[in-house]
Amino acid sequence: MALRTLNVLLAADLPQDPLWREDKFREYLAVTMPGERRYCWVAEHRGVIVGYASVLLLGDIGVVEVFVSPEARRTGAGSALLAAAARRTDEDGFDAMGVEVVGGTPAADFYEWHGFRLAFVEMRNVLDLSTVDWLWLGARAQGVGSGYRLEYHPGGVPEDLFEAYAQAKCSIRANPTGNLELRPSSYDVDRLRASLDTLHARGLKPYIVLAVHESSGAVAGLTEVVVPAQRPTRADQYDTVVVPKHRGYGLGRALKARMLFELRSAEPQLLDVQTWNAAESTAMLRVNTELGFRPDRQWREYEADVPDLVRRLKAA
């Protein structure tokens, strides 16, 4: 029933997005990384689920989601679900709550009404695979500087590359974007290993392409894509990283182009790939535009102080 609520909401607010399937939907909701906790609630009306909420407690923040069917909006169902999530977050000792909201949907007004503050904005970009010039893309996939090689790893990187892979991902931390870290991130070997295990358990199949610096064996760059069992026609682009000292050799473009070729073969049902970029990420935005990604929707991250949110909801 939670799946039905989600799909009704998608059809109303994001009609161009693919609907979700039952495949591993329960696992998607239930499985978490070690040390994280997720709590869920539903709102019913006459025996029918009209709303769903969850809060994922990770790091120092609670990440909330609230879905309410269009016919049940403005009935108080969303506020009641948010109040339950805020109380649980408060009881577990978390002071901050964050949420991702799609721009141009009623969710932005809902969270702003409840006192959430806008903290970070990025743009979703979508690549329609039917528009790709594969011959042109093939040349881009080969356009890597001398002294580097690309490696394709479906399912996750091999054990002997975990340390180098973690070091490459750590380079992101040197260039913070200001986002709230609402998505689980992994910058050390143990977290990376657990992250890959969790992705598989949730029905999210990862694909990774690495750029390896041949003389040192260092991972100079990487790109990650996940294909969810719950909506297998649309892939999610996760991190694309080029370590600063290896920039200027065409690695970012080559990594993403090679990934698209591998996805074309490994996941023939795919229709498109979505990715998210902040306006400050000018280099990656140029690469995405060159590869054919087009701006689609603004994605917003909001935050709230949990004790204040609990008091505000209780008084409403």
Side-chain angles (χ1 to χ4, degrees), residues 275-298:
T275 187
W276 295 264
N277 297 101
E280 297 83 5
S281 303
T282 53
M284 194 52 62
L285 283 169
R286 284 197 300 270
V287 169
N288 286 339
T289 300
E290 185 178 351
L291 294 176
F293 285 85
R294 295 292 177 260
D296 173 65
R297 290 270 191 162
Q298 194 181 78

Side-chain angles (χ1 to χ4, degrees), residues 202-260:
R202 298 183 76 206
L204 310 175
K205 186 173 182 180
Y207 293 91
I208 296 169
V209 176
L210 304 179
V212 177
H213 186 233
E214 293 182 314
S215 63
S216 67
V219 172
L222 60 96
T223 192
E224 307 163 330
V225 167
V226 168
V227 178
Q230 300 83 8
R231 46 172 176 78
T233 62
R234 172 168 289 184
D236 295 339
Q237 173 80 62
Y238 281 15
D239 286 337
T240 297
V241 177
V242 178
V243 177
K245 69 179 180 179
H246 297 287
R247 291 173 184 169
Y249 298 95
L251 297 183
R253 182 183 300 104
L255 284 163
K256 297 193 80 165
R258 171 69 180 275
M259 176 65 81
L260 292 172

Side-chain angles (χ1 to χ4, degrees), residues 138-262:
R140 307 287 83 74
Q142 299 298 320
V144 61
S146 176
Y148 297 91
R149 71 174 185 274
L150 300 187
E151 296 184 0
Y152 166 60
H153 298 286
V157 294
E159 186 70 26
D160 63 329
L161 285 174
F162 265 109
E163 185 64 43
Y165 186 73
Q167 290 177 9
K169 294 204 67 163
C170 274
S171 68
I172 300 175
R173 288 185 160 181
N175 298 282
T177 59
N179 67 20
L180 296 177
E181 294 277 351
L182 299 186
R183 301 161 195 158
S185 301
S186 304
Y187 301 108
D188 63 69
V189 171
D190 290 337
R191 282 286 287 183
L192 281 170
R193 190 179 291 109
S195 177
L196 286 170
D197 290 343
T198 302
L199 285 173
H200 285 290
R202 298 183 76 206
L204 310 175
K205 186 173 182 180
Y207 293 91
I208 296 169
V209 176
L210 304 179
V212 177
H213 186 233
E214 293 182 314
S215 63
S216 67
V219 172
L222 60 96
T223 192
E224 307 163 330
V225 167
V226 168
V227 178
Q230 300 83 8
R231 46 172 176 78
T233 62
R234 172 168 289 184
D236 295 339
Q237 173 80 62
Y238 281 15
D239 286 337
T240 297
V241 177
V242 178
V243 177
K245 69 179 180 179
H246 297 287
R247 291 173 184 169
Y249 298 95
L251 297 183
R253 182 183 300 104
L255 284 163
K256 297 193 80 165
R258 171 69 180 275
M259 176 65 81
L260 292 172
F261 262 103
E262 298 295 353

Side-chain angles (χ1 to χ4, degrees), residues 32-43:
T32 64
M33 287 275 288
E36 298 174 356
R37 302 184 299 283
R38 186 190 298 275
Y39 302 99
C40 302
W41 300 263
V42 296

